[in-house]
Amino acid sequence: MTELSTLTAAQAAATISAGECSSEEMTAACLARIAETEESVGAFAFIDAEHALAQARESDAWRRSGKPIGPLHGVPVAVKDLIDTADYPTEYGSRYFAGRRPRNDATVVSRLRAAGAIVIGKTVTTEMAYFHPGKTRNPHDLSRTPGGSSSGSAAAVAAGMVPATLGTQTNGSIIRPAAFCGVFGMKPSHGLVPRTGTLPLSRSLDHIGPMARSIEDIALVLDAIAGYDPGDPDTRPLGARNFRDVAMEEFELAPRFAFVKTPIWDKADANTRDAFEALAEELGGDCFTYDLPDTYATAWDAQRAIMAAEMVFNLGRYAEEGGDLISPQFNALMADGRAISAATYLDALEDARAMRGALGELFEQACTAIITPATVGVAPVGQATGDPSFCSLWSLTGLPAVTLPLLSGENGLPLGVQLVGAMGDDARLLRTANWLVERLPG
Amino acid sequence: MTELSTLTAAQAAATISAGECSSEEMTAACLARIAETEESVGAFAFIDAEHALAQARESDAWRRSGKPIGPLHGVPVAVKDLIDTADYPTEYGSRYFAGRRPRNDATVVSRLRAAGAIVIGKTVTTEMAYFHPGKTRNPHDLSRTPGGSSSGSAAAVAAGMVPATLGTQTNGSIIRPAAFCGVFGMKPSHGLVPRTGTLPLSRSLDHIGPMARSIEDIALVLDAIAGYDPGDPDTRPLGARNFRDVAMEEFELAPRFAFVKTPIWDKADANTRDAFEALAEELGGDCFTYDLPDTYATAWDAQRAIMAAEMVFNLGRYAEEGGDLISPQFNALMADGRAISAATYLDALEDARAMRGALGELFEQACTAIITPATVGVAPVGQATGDPSFCSLWSLTGLPAVTLPLLSGENGLPLGVQLVGAMGDDARLLRTANWLVERLPG
């Protein structure tokens, strides 16, 4: 049975659709894998095997009745416990929110269900998606962090518990754990995926995105969750792309990569720097080194100012009411956020707009995607969720980013290759990512 | 000749269109009136009679050629010196910007010209549209302020210099001077009129709007200047209304007014309070008193926080560079603005959204327009531009507001009746205003 749990979401959907296995069998396989690994990995905040199987049986009955089925029909998935679900508690990884039960599904959860997915449970998040870690460990080395804040979503995919999950990112919370756990992860363009029903940290910076074991699965999940929602004022009523079809298209010409070291290159460890220099060399004429102008040096402070100020706006009252139920890390962030002036905040938003505009020109004129590390190195030992620095600029500017588990670092641990695309051009970014996956050995 | 200068813009346009007078004659009449009154009133920052007449002659030649003409063809207008004009300096009422010559017209100026208007000059603004006054005096009593910051625009219309002008409002800068000077003035819905090419004070609060001697003229100018502009991210690509036609329509049923005293009612002087109580009584069954909930008490602090913070963002660098060229009032505002925290600023924006939403329900359920004072009383003696408090809530929430010169206060000086409409329903607000003008005696 457990063999089914190794299928990608696309394979699982095809297998179920063809009647070669049922959703119940697929879900049972995932539950069996979870039973084997959850005690050591700790990816789930909530899981209800009976409820999951009951949904799978309903899904099977629907299919057998001959009704039309969605692209994720019968496929088990899990979502970060920052995202509301009407059938599971949603506690935001916070003791303050213990026992919280939302009345409604978040928009992305409704959309996953509409596409046929079986939401089998909620994955561990750090406290309110900030730095205080949950129980999850890295499946590649249990002494190491899976990264945060979407810790459980990354670990669940890496451990073979479910083929796909949803995470959220405000700084580095999708890309970093996906990279540490050696899976694919995507932070879509800001505004592509609606955040209605997800704990808001920072309207300017919050993103929801998928993690999975293939680019095709990332695209498949993105097809399900992307698109306008009047509940999220940053989404736009634009026509939908078919991400999966575009992602799987052949390139007529090779994409062209800008290798961007960023002003924080020295934060990357020596192994990571060497690995990326070698990767750029391997890509040869398809890759050129691009040095960001000095003006980008303010991006990290800008990201921090916006995040801290908007998190005080959204979460400050909980920290005030929460007393001992709130971690010292979180309270320290609130204190930092309260000290930020409106002028600093508005300047930071303006910096972000200017950088987004300048990067837009880079994509128009010179490259298909930026190639850059996902993290400073492999997952560190211990519980602390690691350094998000290589993600901050892309969260700030809202550009779409994916991490691909194509390199390995010390002890053979996964090292993510981050590709960043033009704003709103998520489909082409996925196609470029697929090209790179096929191009590189192993 | 000067008789022509007493025509409204609609009358002037009709007269010119019918060939009963030329734009040159109309412009000359306005210039003659300006020659008589400008020395005492001081409404203009820049005027160039020869350039105005040359434009008028071009306009006449165009009409005589039989080409199609716009709804303001040949009609002289003037715009606040906060609004860029390619053919006049634009100095923002500031010594720091002395000699500034923009390369392009602001969007509203291009649109006025496209509608056929002759822009004869630039009207006095207070320093960067804040409190430090310019030279303008109130035509009704030269010892009194015309109000600010659109001082010259209001005084020019009141003195019969031009039939219509443009002003800008961030707090009370259209409604207050229009009321003090006894003319019609409108602050359209936030986002209806694009601000491209106008000195930005506060994206959240800045509005451009017309002043004139009739509601029809207000609507006529609004028809010219309203509508989507990609340069102003708060404008929306929606279909245009015909404001003038709607404004002039008959009501089938009488409108219903909510008399809103606001939490700052005690700031209004006794004469004003009595005049509005009497007006509400006169309206009888068409008017009910509505007490805003206590939560609205924060609106004034919220308006102040947003304005000060966003003005630091937009203008702080000029204040820093300007030294003695910047007034103490302006520097004091910058200091206040720098002290505002991002959390206070974001809370203020949220308060504004909440109030806008709640007022939306009031309009949906109970009233056609809110009726409330435009100012605390008549124009005060002296240069200080007066109290904008009765405008702050409507600037904060972005609702459309007009002031109608229907009452008089001490010494027979004008007292404005402010009507506020539902967000985006500027056309109905103008029709309601027209109803009230026709309904009330005098």
Side-chain angles (χ1 to χ4, degrees), chain A residues 210-292:
Chain A
M211 299 189 193
R213 290 194 294 265
S214 73
I215 286 294
E216 186 179 17
D217 281 8
I218 294 283
L220 190 57
V221 174
L222 193 60
D223 275 327
I225 63 176
Y228 180 61
D229 173 8
D232 183 337
D234 292 324
T235 62
R236 291 281 168 265
L238 304 173
R241 297 298 299 265
N242 185 323
F243 294 105
R244 187 196 198 173
D245 287 354
V246 177
M248 296 296 112
E249 273 171 13
E250 293 285 317
F251 264 80
E252 295 190 12
L253 291 170
R256 190 162 161 75
F257 295 94
F259 173 31
V260 170
K261 296 182 178 177
T262 80
I264 54 155
W265 186 242
D266 290 347
K267 280 198 171 188
D269 62 31
N271 283 342
T272 302
R273 293 198 306 266
D274 291 348
F276 276 83
E277 300 279 10
L279 175 58
E281 199 159 319
E282 157 112 23
L283 289 169
D286 298 331
C287 185
F288 66 100
T289 299
Y290 178 73
D291 293 324
L292 291 176

Side-chain angles (χ1 to χ4, degrees), chain A residues 309-310 312-313 338 340-343 345-347 350 353, chain B residues 309-310 312-313 338 340-343 345-347 350 353:
Chain A
E310 295 189 355
V312 166
F313 168 68
R338 287 197 182 86
I340 291 164
S341 75
Y345 169 72
L346 288 165
D347 284 343
E350 180 62 26
R353 273 190 292 271
Chain B
E310 294 189 355
V312 166
F313 169 69
R338 286 197 183 87
I340 289 163
S341 75
Y345 170 72
L346 288 165
D347 283 344
E350 180 62 26
R353 274 190 291 271

Side-chain angles (χ1 to χ4, degrees), chain B residues 19 35-36 169 178 186 236 271 297 308 331 361 377 394 408 420 438:
Chain B
E36 281 168 33
Q169 174 160 323
M186 181 179 199
R236 292 280 168 267
N271 282 341
N331 278 320
E361 288 175 27
W394 321 115
S408 42
V420 179
E438 291 180 5

Side-chain angles (χ1 to χ4, degrees), chain B residues 1-200:
Chain B
M1 276 295 259
T2 49
E3 202 176 274
L4 286 177
S5 71
T6 64
L7 298 181
T8 66
Q11 290 165 339
T15 306
I16 293 167
S17 171
E20 291 163 20
C21 88
S22 66
S23 175
E24 186 178 6
E25 288 166 320
M26 187 68 65
T27 303
C30 288
L31 290 168
R33 178 69 187 158
I34 291 167
E36 281 168 33
T37 52
E38 174 62 9
E39 194 177 335
S40 57
V41 173
F44 280 88
F46 300 99
I47 189 156
D48 179 340
E50 280 316 305
H51 176 60
L53 290 167
Q55 291 179 80
R57 283 190 291 267
E58 268 182 50
S59 172
D60 288 331
W62 175 281
R63 195 187 66 79
R64 283 193 305 268
S65 75
K67 289 177 187 151
I69 60 172
L72 288 168
H73 190 84
V75 178
V77 300
V79 302
K80 185 178 185 178
D81 200 36
L82 209 72
I83 302 172
D84 279 354
T85 41
D87 53 355
Y88 292 102
T90 303
E91 296 184 348
Y92 306 148
S94 161
R95 291 190 298 146
Y96 178 70
F97 287 102
R100 177 177 176 277
R101 293 209 67 124
R103 199 165 301 173
N104 300 306
D105 284 337
T107 298
V108 289
V109 171
S110 310
R111 289 182 179 177
L112 282 174
R113 296 196 207 267
I118 310 297
V119 180
I120 66 160
K122 307 298 290 286
T123 54
V124 169
T125 173
T126 59
E127 178 196 31
M128 289 185 259
Y130 194 57
F131 280 106
H132 186 69
K135 66 182 175 182
T136 314
R137 291 153 183 258
N138 194 314
H140 292 269
D141 177 346
L142 297 175
S143 73
R144 293 176 189 259
T145 179
S149 63
S150 307
S151 320
S153 290
V157 171
M161 296 171 167
V162 275
T165 56
L166 294 186
T168 68
Q169 174 160 323
T170 305
N171 188 2
S173 286
I174 293 172
I175 297 297
R176 175 181 40 158
F180 283 171
C181 291
V183 302
F184 293 86
M186 181 179 199
K187 179 198 80 64
S189 291
H190 188 259
L192 181 63
V193 176
R195 298 156 301 179
T196 319
T198 301
L199 182 70

Side-chain angles (χ1 to χ4, degrees), chain A residues 323-354:
Chain A
D324 291 349
L325 300 175
I326 307 295
S327 73
Q329 285 109 312
F330 199 87
N331 279 319
L333 175 73
M334 293 296 105
D336 285 0
R338 287 197 182 86
I340 291 164
S341 75
T344 298
Y345 169 72
L346 288 165
D347 284 343
L349 287 177
E350 180 62 26
D351 282 355
R353 273 190 292 271

